[in-house]
């Protein structure tokens, strides 16, 4: 892939290039807001003229530092996020003028209290149901964020700026969806590892328009390659849908193993991937439309979280998945408990083989995971009438 | 036509020759060299059956060491192999519990011996042969003696699932003068509890086969059977089931 696809190379270098671009932008007076979660209403940041960056929590490197403060049994994503801040090793954290956080799971919520001592942090109180009353409340939280951004950066968020931001971010979602939808083709034109790399690095872009152009170019190149029959896989390769906790470069162990062992990850129903492409729908009240979009994120911190079940059902069909792997991090109660519900739902509706994997960012269980994943691929193979 | 199945596990390496029936079945210790152990078990099996290597038309490898041998025509995970082997021995079986040296699995099997779903222990060693070994070490007895000790004893309460914590718990019990028999029974009880937890993650039928070397331990078999509320089939050589399954798959291919 890397050799034959020019845009891929460009995207692979984004993180480094953008750290510099970010510094330049800051020197010119731009403000930067760091976000941690899919619930962050990025439109408001863009409308405030600031640069939104996603902060990384997918690397194992800063975890030992974080464990000096946080319990070891906590989810690795939270420890990694906190560790980056503590060790000041993430340029994107370093350049952030403000951190934006939401009360999602308990671990994150309490970690943000500690993080708030290091940098200005705005915490949005996120409701945990997705009904009318919650929406009213969430609209108020968006208004509170608008006031904070306006005060902190001495700007005015006008309806026009907000409308423009919605257009831009919907355009970004459109391009990200088109890229991921390419993997509906059989065989997929790009590996899950490569897709993950693109999605991960894209999160560090400073100029959204430039990034959209780059993704669109990549999609076009891949479409051409696929039309000419190019793919790293065959039509027999087991197609895996990955759901569960957020995953990125540094925490890609399971994706890598699936593909090393002969499968192909064709869809990531996770925060950085398919959950992200849901657009803001047009409505009379723009702020309400934005609030609706973010409140319907089907995250396991919502109770109940039926949206995830429906999304999964749909994605299994659309991507012709042969199996679903539910990736959960050790210490993540919401996703770990929800796995039972997901499994039962998929057994009843999609009748697709299901495997839960609970792990962390370390390599210590690689051999065990290999047995599990390989056996899962064997189950898929025999279901297709292969040799038992 | 003869096929060989070679299961290179963390403690023992097993080889089975199969031509519709079991022609040979050999166990050797894996030791530090899984590759040599695999070749040795294969050679002994050939000798035992009086078959020339050239007459073996397919060799299937399984177990942790399956990556290490170049002679394999095909490699299959131990999960699929145990299901297949158990189905051959007991065609009625719909669940397999396999406790090996490093990990334990509960597999649910369809009427053709194919895996429907499975659950496997996570990182932790609780409920594995390793756990049993560590505990026998603390009591300073062999695995067989551990079984004998437990006969008829009231299980002592061992609440920790983690091998490291359970070790200090057992040391504490010994210090307080608890007798080894009840501690041994307590250890089996704790493993049974762990297996029960795993079994809850798949559809467990009442037609269960217990495979893997740990199943040689009769006391443990009854502890697990009692906690699951099922009678289990225990093959007379439970550690051979994976290699048998591998050989059958080679034979049928
Ligand atoms: S999983 Fe939930 S809490 Fe975590 S980043 Fe996604 S939306 Fe936020
Ligand atoms: S993975 Fe789970 S515990 Fe970790 S941050 Fe996300 S929701 Fe919270």
């Amino acid at each position: 892939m890397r050799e034959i696809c020019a845009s891929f190379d460009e995207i692979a270098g984004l993180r480094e290039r953008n750290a510099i671009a970010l510094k330049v932008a800051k020197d010119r007076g731009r403000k930067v807001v760091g976000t941690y979660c899919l619930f962050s209403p990025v439109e408001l940041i863009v409308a405030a003229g600031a640069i939104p960056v996603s902060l990384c929590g997918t690397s194992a490197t800063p975890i030992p530092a974080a464990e000096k403060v946080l319990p070891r049994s906590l989810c690795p994503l939270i420890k990694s996020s906190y560790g980056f801040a503590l060790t000041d090793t993430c340029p994107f954290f370093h350049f952030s003028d403000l951190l934006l956080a939401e009360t999602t799971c308990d671990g994150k919520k309490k970690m943000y209290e500690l993080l708030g001592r290091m940098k200005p942090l705005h915490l949005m109180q996120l409701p945990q149901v997705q009904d009318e009353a919650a929406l009213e409340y969430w609209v108020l939280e968006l208004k509170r964020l608008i006031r904070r951004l306006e005060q902190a950066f001495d700007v005015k968020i006008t309806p026009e700026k907000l409308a423009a931001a919605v257009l831009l971010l919907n355009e970004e979602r459109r391009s990200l969806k088109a890229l991921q939808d390419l993997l509906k083709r059989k065989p997929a034109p790009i590996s899950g590892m490569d897709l993950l790399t693109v999605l991960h690095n894209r999160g560090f872009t400073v100029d959204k328009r430039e990034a959209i152009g780059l993704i669109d170019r990549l999609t076009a190149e891949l479409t051409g390659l696929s039309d000419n029959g190019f793919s790293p896989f065959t039509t027999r390769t087991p197609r895996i849908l990955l759901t569960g906790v957020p995953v990125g470069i540094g925490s890609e162990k399971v994706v890598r193993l699936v593909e090393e062992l002969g499968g192909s990850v064709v869809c990531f129903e996770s925060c950085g991937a398919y959950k992200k492409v849901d657009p803001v729908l047009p409505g009379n009240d723009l702020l309400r439309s934005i609030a609706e979009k973010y409140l319907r994120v089907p995250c396991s911190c919502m109770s109940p979280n039926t949206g995830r079940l429906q999304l999964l059902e749909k994605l299994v069909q659309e991507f012709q998945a042969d199996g679903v792997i539910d990736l959960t991090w050790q210490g993540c109660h919401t996703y770990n408990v929800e796995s039972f519900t997901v499994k039962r739902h998929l057994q009843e509706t999609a009748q697709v083989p299901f495997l839960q994997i609970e792990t962390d960012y370390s390599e210590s269980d690689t051999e065990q995971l290999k047995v599990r994943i390989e056996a899962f691929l064997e189950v898929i193979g025999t279901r297709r009438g292969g040799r038992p | 036509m003869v096929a060989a199945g070679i299961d290179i596990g963390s403690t023992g390496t097993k080889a089975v020759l199969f031509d519709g029936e079991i022609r040979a079945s050999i166990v050797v210790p894996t030791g530090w060299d899984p590759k040599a152990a695999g070749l040795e078990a294969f050679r002994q099996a050939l000798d035992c059956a009086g078959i020339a290597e050239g007459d073996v038309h397919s060799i299937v490898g399984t177990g942790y060491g399956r990556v290490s041998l170049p002679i394999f025509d095909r490699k299959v995970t131990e999960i699929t192999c145990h299901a297949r082997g158990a189905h051959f021995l007991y065609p009625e079986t719909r669940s397999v519990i396999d406790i090996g040296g490093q990990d334990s699995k509960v597999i649910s099997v369809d009427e053709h011996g194919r895996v429907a779903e499975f659950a496997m222990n996570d990182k932790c060693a609780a409920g594995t042969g390793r756990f049993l070994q560590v505990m026998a070490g603390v009591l300073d007895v062999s695995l067989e003696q551990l079984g004998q000790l437990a006969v008829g004893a009231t299980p002592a309460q061992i609440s920790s699932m983690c091998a490291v914590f359970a070790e200090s718990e057992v040391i504490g019990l010994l210090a307080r003068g608890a007798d080894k028999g009840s501690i041994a029974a307590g250890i089996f009880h704790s493993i049974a509890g762990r297996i029960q937890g795993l079994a809850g993650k798949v559809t467990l039928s009442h037609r269960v086969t217990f495979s893997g070397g740990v199943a040689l331990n009769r006391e443990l078999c009854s502890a697990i059977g009692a906690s699951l509320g099922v009678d289990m089939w225990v093959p007379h050589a439970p550690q051979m089931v994976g290699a048998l399954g591998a050989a059958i798959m080679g034979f049928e291919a």
Side-chain angles (χ1 to χ4, degrees):
Chain A
M1 180 57 41
R2 284 147 215 221
E3 303 79 54
I4 48 173
C5 203
S7 314
F8 190 90
D9 265 352
E10 214 171 312
I11 292 169
L14 273 181
R15 189 172 187 270
E16 283 63 36
R17 220 159 33 79
N18 276 303
I20 301 161
L22 199 61
K23 170 135 191 1
V24 173
K26 279 213 67 164
D27 289 345
R28 294 199 184 127
R30 293 285 300 276
K31 298 293 178 192
V32 177
V33 177
T35 65
Y36 283 98
C37 170
L38 197 52
F39 283 108
S40 292
V42 180
E43 281 79 357
L44 306 194
I45 301 171
V46 171
I51 301 171
V53 290
S54 11
L55 297 174
C56 185
T58 58
S59 160
T61 319
I63 288 184
E67 284 178 350
K68 288 185 187 154
V69 178
L70 300 174
R72 233 167 56 83
S73 57
L74 200 62
C75 131
L77 199 154
I78 304 177
K79 287 189 290 189
S80 174
S81 307
Y82 188 69
F84 268 123
L86 203 63
T87 55
D88 199 16
T89 43
C90 169
F92 298 89
F93 179 87
H94 182 84
F95 290 132
S96 293
D97 297 285
L98 179 69
L99 304 177
L100 180 56
E102 298 81 9
T103 52
T104 51
C105 67
D106 290 354
K108 270 195 174 179
K109 201 154 77 185
K110 299 313 278 188
M111 183 274 278
Y112 289 141
E113 290 177 12
L114 301 175
L115 208 55
R117 295 159 166 254
M118 293 185 219
K119 262 208 195 251
L121 180 143
H122 181 83
L123 184 71
M124 300 180 78
Q125 298 288 338
L126 178 72
Q128 292 175 13
V129 284
Q130 293 158 312
D131 62 9
E132 257 318 293
L135 184 65
E136 298 300 328
Y137 182 80
W138 189 230
V139 170
L140 293 177
E141 278 299 288
L142 291 187
K143 289 186 176 154
R144 202 165 62 83
L145 173 62
I146 290 179
R147 284 198 299 278
R148 173 79 185 249
L149 289 167
E150 287 181 336
Q151 273 165 15
F153 303 148
D154 194 22
V155 289
K156 184 91 194 97
I157 296 180
T158 62
E160 294 73 35
K161 287 183 188 163
L162 204 54
V166 169
L167 279 181
L168 177 66
L169 284 154
N170 274 352
E171 182 59 11
E172 178 181 64
R173 294 180 187 116
R174 188 232 8 106
S175 79
L176 288 174
K177 181 171 186 309
L179 173 67
Q180 293 173 63
D181 282 345
L182 262 187
L183 279 80
K184 288 180 182 170
R185 294 183 174 210
K186 210 170 170 172
I190 174 178
S191 72
M193 266 313 295
D194 282 347
L195 177 66
L196 189 66
T197 309
V198 171
L199 295 176
H200 185 82
N201 286 341
R202 184 219 58 91
F204 300 106
T205 44
V206 170
D207 183 340
K208 288 217 175 280
R209 272 183 215 295
E210 193 194 338
I212 295 168
L214 203 52
I215 295 287
D216 283 344
R217 264 205 326 276
L218 177 66
T219 306
E221 280 175 40
L222 287 171
T223 308
L225 285 170
S226 166
D227 287 344
N228 288 318
F230 178 85
S231 164
F233 308 109
T234 75
T235 48
R236 300 280 306 157
T237 307
R239 298 166 64 84
I240 302 298
L241 185 149
L242 193 79
T243 177
V245 294
V247 38
I249 299 304
S251 62
E252 81 289 350
K253 177 171 67 179
V254 168
V255 183
R256 187 172 24 87
L257 288 177
V258 167
E259 299 200 325
E260 275 174 18
L261 295 171
S264 132
V265 179
V266 292
C267 179
F268 295 82
E269 182 274 325
S270 48
C271 289
Y274 224 86
K275 269 200 188 106
K276 205 187 176 78
V277 303
D278 177 25
V280 173
L281 300 175
N284 299 329
D285 179 346
L286 199 50
L287 199 61
R288 202 180 160 88
S289 298
I290 298 174
E292 276 171 358
K293 179 245 145 30
Y294 284 97
L295 192 63
R296 63 173 183 259
V297 168
C299 169
S300 65
C301 67
M302 288 292 162
S303 179
N305 182 27
T306 45
R308 181 173 173 214
L309 305 180
Q310 283 149 16
L311 178 60
L312 274 174
E313 220 181 300
K314 180 171 105 98
L315 293 180
V316 166
Q317 293 259 325
E318 289 181 0
F319 283 84
Q320 302 176 61
D322 299 308
V324 173
I325 295 184
D326 188 18
L327 176 64
T328 56
W329 298 135
Q330 275 166 5
C332 173
H333 302 324
T334 56
Y335 276 103
N336 280 334
V337 176
E338 194 167 282
S339 192
F340 181 80
T341 312
V342 171
K343 175 180 177 178
R344 207 176 42 190
H345 182 81
L346 286 178
Q347 274 172 345
E348 282 163 9
T349 56
Q351 271 122 32
V352 65
F354 177 91
L355 178 72
Q356 184 197 8
I357 288 181
E358 188 184 337
T359 184
D360 60 10
Y361 293 1
S362 76
E363 292 290 333
S364 61
D365 57 351
T366 303
E367 286 309 314
Q368 277 196 330
L369 291 183
K370 275 189 191 162
V371 175
R372 229 173 288 199
I373 293 168
E374 214 175 325
F376 187 61
L377 296 175
E378 286 169 1
V379 168
I380 292 172
T382 48
R383 269 175 66 111
R384 284 189 183 151
R387 302 179 291 184
Chain B
M1 290 221 300
V2 187
I6 302 178
D7 176 3
I8 308 181
S10 57
T11 32
T13 293
K14 286 78 70 175
V16 167
L17 294 179
F18 184 86
D19 63 356
E21 271 172 60
I22 301 169
R23 296 288 300 277
S25 146
I26 292 291
V27 195
V28 303
T30 299
W32 297 114
D33 189 351
K35 208 165 164 171
L39 292 172
E40 176 61 19
F42 184 40
R43 194 190 55 74
Q44 285 191 24
L46 290 172
D47 283 355
C48 166
I51 292 173
E53 187 172 342
D55 293 334
V56 176
H57 78 281
S58 165
I59 310 178
V60 176
T62 187
Y64 271 112
R66 68 183 180 283
V67 283
S68 63
L69 263 194
I71 58 168
F72 296 143
D73 297 306
R74 193 178 157 205
K75 294 163 191 161
V76 183
T77 62
E78 47 272 42
I79 294 178
T80 303
C81 288
H82 275 270
R84 198 69 193 82
H87 176 260
F88 175 81
L89 296 171
Y90 309 102
E92 295 289 292
T93 202
R94 292 295 174 270
S95 309
V96 180
I97 295 173
D98 163 39
I99 306 187
Q102 298 289 345
D103 43 41
S104 43
K105 304 147 194 128
V106 179
I107 306 162
S108 89
V109 181
D110 71 9
E111 67 272 26
H112 308 291
R114 294 183 302 210
V115 177
E117 48 172 344
F118 61 89
M120 194 169 149
N121 66 309
D122 52 31
K123 284 184 166 186
C124 139
T128 68
R130 179 85 196 118
F131 182 85
L132 211 54
Q133 244 166 16
V134 170
M135 294 308 134
V138 179
L139 294 183
D140 196 22
V141 297
S142 69
L143 281 182
E144 294 75 53
Q145 288 168 323
L146 193 69
Q148 289 150 14
L149 278 173
V151 180
T154 324
Q157 180 71 34
I158 294 170
S159 38
S160 185
M161 287 290 185
C162 160
V164 177
F165 287 139
E167 184 173 350
S168 38
E169 219 179 329
V170 167
I171 292 172
L173 283 168
L174 283 173
R176 266 176 277 134
D179 76 283
K180 284 191 179 182
S182 60
I183 296 179
I187 290 165
F188 292 161
H189 209 70
S190 139
I191 293 184
R194 185 67 180 197
I195 298 298
Q196 197 179 10
L198 263 191
K201 298 199 180 227
V202 302
T203 333
L204 189 81
S205 80
H206 59 280
R207 289 168 294 186
V208 186
T209 303
F210 189 12
S211 70
V214 169
L216 286 169
N217 198 315
R218 300 198 145 275
E219 281 305 307
L220 183 59
C221 294
S222 34
I224 291 179
S227 82
L228 294 177
V230 294
D231 283 326
M232 294 185 296
W233 285 299
V234 184
H236 80 274
Q239 73 275 40
M240 304 305 302
V241 176
L244 172 62
I248 295 172
M249 273 184 275
F251 180 72
E252 286 174 351

